[in-house]
Amino acid sequence: MTPPTRELDLARMRAQRHAKLQHEMDARGIDALLLLGTGNAMYAGGGQTVLADNARRYQQRLIVLVVAGDDAPHVFTPYADGLPAELPQSHRHAPLYAETDAGVEHMARTIKELTGGDCARIGIDDYTAPMWFQLPRLLAPAELVDATQLCVDARVIKLPDEQECMRRSWEINEAATYAAEQALRPGVRLNELSGVFLRRLFELGATANFLDPVFQAMPERIADGPWSTNGDVPFNLITTDHIISEGEVIWTDTVMGYEGYASDVGRTWVAGRPSPELRDLYVRWQEITDAVIEHLRPGVTGDVLTRLAIEANGGTKPWLDHFFLAHGLGLEGGEPQQVGADRGPEYDEQFVLQPGMAIVVEPVTWRDGHAGWRCEELVFITDDGHERVSHYPNEPFE
Amino acid sequence: MNTRGTMVLEEGSRIDFDALRLDRRARVRAMMDEHDIDVLMCIRQGNARYVTGHRPLWRAVITPWAPMCTFVRATGGIHLLAATWDDGIPGDIPHENLFALTWNASNTVNSIAGIEGLADARVIAVDGMSPGLAKLLGMLAPNARLVDGEALMRDVRAVKLPAEIECLRTAIAIAEGALATVTTELRPGVRELELKGAFEAAVCGYGLNHVAYEGTFCAAPRDAGSDAGAQVLRRIPTERPIGAGELVVLHGAVHYAGYEGIAGRTRPCVGPSGMVNSTASRGQRELARRFIAAQASAIDACGPGAPANAVATAWARHEAVPLDAPLLYGIGLGVEGPLVGGVPEAAAEDASLRPGMVVVVQGSVHEPGVGTYFGADVVAISDDGPRRLSRASHAPLDVPTDALVPA
C-alpha cells in the first residue's frame, strides 16, 4: 500500500469537485443545479460560513447554482470572507433569500439571468415552502428535478484532497476527545467534558462543530435507561449536567469539521477502573472490529461485513438496532451508504465497496448489567485494500 | 423575575415549562382553527419545538425536508419521527406517537400512514417539501391541499409570551457572560480560533452543551478600502493571531431551552490591562461613540407599529447601512424573520413591529485606519416602546473622547 500523502491543495479539490458535479449533470441531462442542503452547497460552492443552528442557517443561507458547462459555481452567501480566493468576481453574489415569496421571485429572476433563461431541466436538492409553491411556476417551462441522488453520487468517492481534510478532521477530533478524557473523573459533569472538548477542538484548528457533543453515562442495564421504541441500548442521548460517579461507563460521539469535512469519533471510557466484564466486552469489540476492517477492500459487499461481524460476536448482531455496523462519511457528517441498517439485507448485498470510499465502522458489544463497549473507526478504501485513519488509544487496557 | 440562572429552585423552576409548552400549543391550535388547517407538518427545529416542547439533539446542518413533527388538529395528537426513545420528550406525548430513527423509506411511509386524522385532511400546512414526500402525501391524504406552514408559524411565533421573554433573557445573560470570559482571554498573540473555543467552553460552564452560532471572533480590518462593497468585517475566525491595539469583534449566541441569546461587542486588544480606560486609542473611542449613537437611533425606531425597515432609515441618518449583514432580525426559538438588510432589496418584507416581538438590532461602523466597531443588542417591542434586553456595556471604549486627557 502506498503511504497516504499529507499535502493539501484546497483550490485543486474545489476544481475537481466542480468537474465531478459537471460530469453528473451531463450524464443526467441537467442544465443547472440549485443546491441548498448544507453539505451539498459546501461541496459545490466551497465557501466557508459560520456554523449555526438550522434556524439561523435558513435565514442566512449558503446557496449555490451550478450551470452546465460553466467553469465555476455561482455562490450566494452572507459570508463574503468565506468565499474561495479563486472564485471569479462574476460568480460571487449577495445572499439569496428563500424564506418569502418575494425572495423566491428574486431567486427565480437571478437563476434565469445567470443561466440565460433557457434551461430545460434544473436539479434542486431542497425546497423551502415558498420555493415549493412558487418556483415551478416562476421557472416554467423548465422541469424541476430532484438532485438528491446526483449529489450523493458525486460525493461518495473521496478525492485525495478530501481524504486529507478528513484525516486532519479525525486527528483534531481524536486529540480533543483525548483532552476531554483526561478531564474525566468522578464528580465532573458531562457538559464540562464538552467544554474541554470544544476548547481544544478550536485550539487545534477545527473550522466547525456539527453536533451537540455527546458524552453519555451509560445505564448498566437497558431497562435502567429511558423507554425506547426498539428496546435496544438508548444511545445517543443529549448530554446533560449529570455528575459522573465512580465506575460509570461513558460513550462519546462527536462530529466536527475541517474545511467542512466531518470526523465522527466515538469512544468508550470508564470513570475509574473497568470491571472484568467490561474488559471482556472491549476484547470482543476489538475482535469484531479487526475482523470487519481486515476485509475492507474494493468489491466487498455490505452483507459480507455484517456476516463477519455477527460471526465474531458469536451469532448475534453487534451494532445498535437504530444505527448500523458501518456508514459513509463526508462533508458535514454521515453519508447515506450504510451497512446493517434497517434497509434490509438486499440493500447490504448490492452495496459494493469502491476505492475512495470513507467508511466508519462502529460495532457495539453489550452485556446487560455491565453496560457495553462502542467505538468508531475510520477507514478509507484504497485501490487494493484500505487505510486505517483512526488511532485512538484504548488506554485502560493498553 | 430578575434572577438569571439555570438551576431548578426548591420552590419550582424559574420558568414553568409545562405551562409554556401548553400555551404555545394553544396558539398553534388557534392559528390552525383560524386558517382551517387540519394538519401541520414541520421539520424546522423552531417550529417543531414550539409545537412539541421537546429537547432535540442539536445539529448544525439543514437536512432534506421530512415531517419530523406532525400536529393533527382533530385529535390534538403530536407525532414525531426519528424519536427512538422518550428522553427529552414531554410526558404528554404518548409512546405510540414516537417513531424510531429509520433509514428505510418504507418504515417512514408506514409511520406517516399510521397517523390518525391524516387520511381525512383537507388542508395540510408544511414548512418545506421534497418531491418524494409530496408524492407520498398525495397518496396518504388524497383530498388534501398543501399550504405554506412556515409563513403561518412565523406569524404565531413572532409575538412572545412572557415566559418566552424570560427564556430569552436567560439566554442573553449566558451569551454575555461567555463573551465577558472571552474578553479576559483577549491578549496580543491569541489566535481567533482560540477565542471561539474560549466562548464555547464558557457556555458549557453554564450547564449548556453547545452554542447556537459559532460566531465571529475576528480582528476587524483596519482599512477596508472605500469601495461601496468594501468589507468592513471579517466574520470567520481563523488561525490569525490578534495584534496589540487591534479592534476585535466578539459575537456569539447560545440556546437556553431552545431560545437564542446573542451578544455582540467590539473590544480593543490591549493586553491584560485591557479594561483600563487609557489604553484604547482616541480613534477607537470615537468609532464606538459613532456606533452607540447610530445604534441608539436604530433601537429608538423599534416602536410598536413601526415598519421594520424604519430601523434602516434611523441607522442611515447616522451611518452608512452595512451591506453584508442584516440590521434587524427577529429572535425566539432561534433566528426568525423579519430580516431588514442582508438580503436583496427585492426580497425584503414589508413587516411591521408588533408589541411582544423581540428583535436583534445590529450594525457596524468603520473608519479607515482605525477599524470597525460591531455591536448587537436584543430589543423587546412593548406597548410603551422598545426595551433593550441586552445588558453588556461598550467598555472600555464608552468613555467620551472629550473626557480624555490628550495623549
Side-chain angles (χ1 to χ4, degrees), chain A residues 40-58:
Chain A
N40 292 339
M42 286 195 294
Y43 188 85
Q48 278 203 35
T49 59
V50 177
L51 257 277
D53 73 307
N54 77 19
R56 186 180 290 264
R57 297 190 76 126
Y58 283 123

Side-chain angles (χ1 to χ4, degrees), chain B residues 243-389:
Chain B
E246 284 192 299
L247 282 177
V248 185
V249 174
L250 309 174
H251 181 210
V254 308
H255 284 147
Y256 173 67
Y259 287 89
E260 183 160 330
I262 70 124
R265 288 291 182 263
T266 300
R267 308 281 190 211
C269 178
V270 285
S273 60
M275 297 307 283
V276 177
N277 287 336
S278 62
T279 52
S281 78
R282 181 171 283 270
Q284 289 173 342
R285 283 166 210 280
E286 172 57 19
L287 198 59
R289 188 201 59 74
R290 279 171 48 196
F291 170 82
I292 292 165
Q295 179 80 342
S297 165
I299 291 174
D300 276 349
C302 296
N309 60 16
V311 75
T313 316
W315 177 275
R317 275 201 291 275
H318 295 259
E319 298 287 340
V321 177
L323 299 169
D324 52 355
L327 203 51
L328 174 143
Y329 58 87
I331 199 150
L333 284 167
V335 172
E336 302 171 356
L339 248 67
V340 175
V343 293
E345 206 151 298
E349 285 171 273
D350 295 326
S352 61
L353 300 175
R354 287 179 276 163
M357 283 174 75
V358 179
V359 297
V360 174
V361 177
Q362 61 178 25
S364 45
V365 297
H366 178 74
E367 180 64 34
V370 177
T372 301
Y373 191 99
F374 169 89
D377 288 283
V378 186
V379 176
I381 319 296
S382 76
D383 289 319
D384 307 329
R387 238 174 354 124
R388 198 165 73 94
L389 302 183

Side-chain angles (χ1 to χ4, degrees), chain A residues 281-337:
Chain A
L281 289 164
Y282 158 68
V283 169
R284 188 143 47 87
W285 171 85
Q286 190 69 67
E287 287 166 1
I288 298 163
T289 303
D290 290 346
V292 171
I293 290 181
E294 196 187 321
H295 285 82
L296 292 176
R297 72 176 71 88
V300 170
T301 51
D303 59 313
V304 172
L305 304 177
T306 56
R307 264 202 308 279
L308 281 164
I310 290 168
E311 228 166 78
N313 195 42
T316 54
K317 80 173 194 187
W319 62 90
L320 295 177
D321 189 60
H322 46 279
F323 289 156
F324 15 67
L325 172 63
H327 66 87
L329 188 70
L331 282 163
E332 124 210 2
E335 293 193 347
Q337 304 79 34

